[in-house]
Amino acid sequence: MTNKSHKINPLDVAMKQADIAAEKLKLDPGLSEMIKQTKRELIVHFPVKMDDGSIKMFTGYRVQHNMTRGPAKGGIRYHPDVDLDEVRALAMWMTWKAAVVNIPFGGAKGGVQCDPKGMSLRELEKMTRRFTWEIAMMIGPDQDIPAPDVYTNPQVMAWIMDTYSTLKGYSVHGVVTGKPLELGGSLGRFEATGKGVFIAAQEAARHLGLHVEGARVVIQGCGNVGGIGAQYFDRAGAKVIALSDSKGGIYNEKGLDISAVLDCKKKYSCLITPEARGGEEITNEELLELDCDILVPAALENQITHKNAPKIKAKIIAEGANGPTTLEADKIFHDRGIFLVPDILANSGGVTVSYFEWVQNLQELLWSEDEISERLTRILRRSFGEVLNICRKEKVDMRTAALMLGIGRVAEATKLRGIYP
Ligand code: NAD
């Protein structure tokens, strides 16, 4: 994994990606600068009383990148490596992503620098509630709506919603998405990102004349995105031959028993136990280079660089994670004819169903699972088609095409709104 001291700055990657698309779109340089800048950034340092009675200080961030097309939207991450530039980059990708699928949201992201695995549930709850209180002036159903990201989940969203509602004096369901169903969460939200990655990979396979059924699939990360994605590939008759978590992966060229592997992960927080045998142990680095048809990076940023890109054997890469591939690796894949479905398209199922959840909350409606699945599939297929058309017409790779679609829509909205005063 990426060594912290040599960490590639995801903001540099995000900025350069935006420059490439802006140049292709021939955007006015001032406009291009304007839409790359973050709108608002909040850094908070706050104390939490830990279980042993000690006081620990935490640093948290909420960044709103752009709200031209609607309220800001983006997850909250709990991870030791969270920093301002990472949150800025993730917020920027959220803006382009919402525009790619053409839903009326802007982009935001947040996070707390912490080691959630070393904290008790009680400590996580206290940290979440205090962090929510600290950023409460920035969030709300009309302004900025958080959601789960790495190491946050529906329970964390429930604590945010409860804390925010306590501050307001009434229940505000629409302040977060990805909530438990009992608190106004939407059917299909928990599965949405993994399912969306599967749909995106299906579209890519269709485009290349390949079949998902029988395809060999490798997935890095088995959380909300990777774990759910693995289940969708498995159900469609693909062979998921490798899956990993932060500690390493499990590999079986004949295909893993996905439900057994995920049960084991749930029970022991680990993939490699005697119960989950049926596969051999591999590192995350080895996993990415396995011979396969579809590779789904679904963990963290900068996993695929110029160093390992030449060794990657997949025919399709569907980015479940945000920013898993560097610009140099993009170029290598383009030259090698590897078809990459970029993050802002491949993992947009999450923000799409988050939008459905928000709409249901505001209108106090409940949609059925079928309605949600049908709308999600339609939006993702349409967006894939739109990106592919740009890719063909402009002779650019899929990432540049998706950025051109997203950034183009944000630029157009910005021009229409004009500059105040
Ligand atoms: P999660 O916390 O549910 O799961 C993260 C997974 O990554 C876990 O299996 C963890 O073990 C693994 N992991 C962590 N560090 C790793 C490492 N160093 N090497 C290999 N694996 C590692 O998080 P998630 O929600 O599944 O998010 C994963 C990625 O998908 C992130 O990039 C996130 O921003 C992106 N994403 C998530 C959503 C969503 O709706 N949750 C939406 C869009 C994009």
Side-chain angles (χ1 to χ4, degrees), residues 19-39:
D19 285 339
I20 294 169
E23 204 185 311
K24 289 275 175 201
L25 289 165
K26 299 190 175 53
L27 285 192
D28 172 90
L31 179 63
S32 158
E33 272 316 298
M34 185 177 159
I35 62 173
K36 277 193 309 179
Q37 278 296 332
T38 52
K39 180 177 173 67

Side-chain angles (χ1 to χ4, degrees), residues 1 77 149 151 189 193 222-225 245-246 284 298-299 320-322:
M1 299 302 302
R77 178 175 292 197
D149 191 75
Y151 299 146
R189 173 59 187 93
T193 313
C222 64
N224 182 254
V225 182
D245 65 11
S246 59
N284 265 296
N322 286 307

